[in-house]
Amino acid sequence: MKSILLTTMAGLILLSTSCTRESVSNDNNPNIIATSGTWRVSLFSERGKDETADFAGYSFSFNANGNLEATRNGTTQQGTWSTGSGRFYIDLGPKTDTNKPLGELTDDWVILSSTATEIRLTDDNVTSEEFLTFSRN
């Protein structure tokens, strides 16, 4: 039952992105969009489990020079980011228990869509069933 739900959810996400104008285009370049303002994680799910709450209070700044800052309660963790070939690359350190939750974002994400207010991503490894959405603060 759980796998049917996950398959249906993934299908709906892919269908909704293929049928909207939110697809990545020259007008919705995620590289330009990301560097405007600050962002928050509005969705992070892995294998159907919503883990968005792990990122509560974090603010993300994607700087034009490729630096990434994740800030919460006055503490900032540095990282890097870039885009290319339909991918959104994030490196906020290793995926270890001591670097949770930010290490969970370190990945080569596939860009599902990008608008001025939202960047929707999925893991390049489909078996992980990870989805990540950044929304503008």
Side-chain angles (χ1 to χ4, degrees), residues 37-84:
T38 59
W39 299 81
R40 64 182 169 80
V41 172
S42 57
L43 172 71
F44 181 80
S45 67
E46 183 175 21
R47 292 182 180 85
K49 183 180 177 194
D50 187 344
E51 299 177 11
T52 308
D54 294 347
F55 300 93
Y58 278 100
S59 178
F60 297 85
S61 296
F62 298 93
N63 299 314
N65 64 3
N67 290 331
L68 168 59
E69 297 176 348
T71 304
R72 183 171 80 171
N73 297 329
T75 302
T76 299
Q77 182 165 328
Q78 301 290 328
T80 61
W81 75 285
S82 64
T83 61

Side-chain angles (χ1 to χ4, degrees), residues 92-114:
L92 280 165
K95 291 187 175 197
T96 61
D97 285 343
T98 58
N99 193 34
K100 280 191 174 185
L102 295 177
E104 294 295 314
L105 303 182
T106 296
D107 218 325
D108 300 343
W109 298 92
V110 175
I111 301 169
L112 295 174
S113 65
S114 63

Side-chain angles (χ1 to χ4, degrees), residues 23-43:
S23 298
V24 176
S25 70
N26 289 335
D27 295 334
N28 291 331
N29 183 330
N31 205 26
I32 294 169
I33 290 169
T35 58
S36 300
T38 59
W39 299 81
R40 64 182 169 80
V41 172
S42 57
L43 172 71

Side-chain angles (χ1 to χ4, degrees), residues 1-11 47-48 129:
M1 181 69 165
K2 189 175 186 180
S3 65
I4 293 172
L5 177 62
L6 291 173
T7 303
T8 302
M9 187 171 81
R47 292 182 180 85
E129 299 175 29

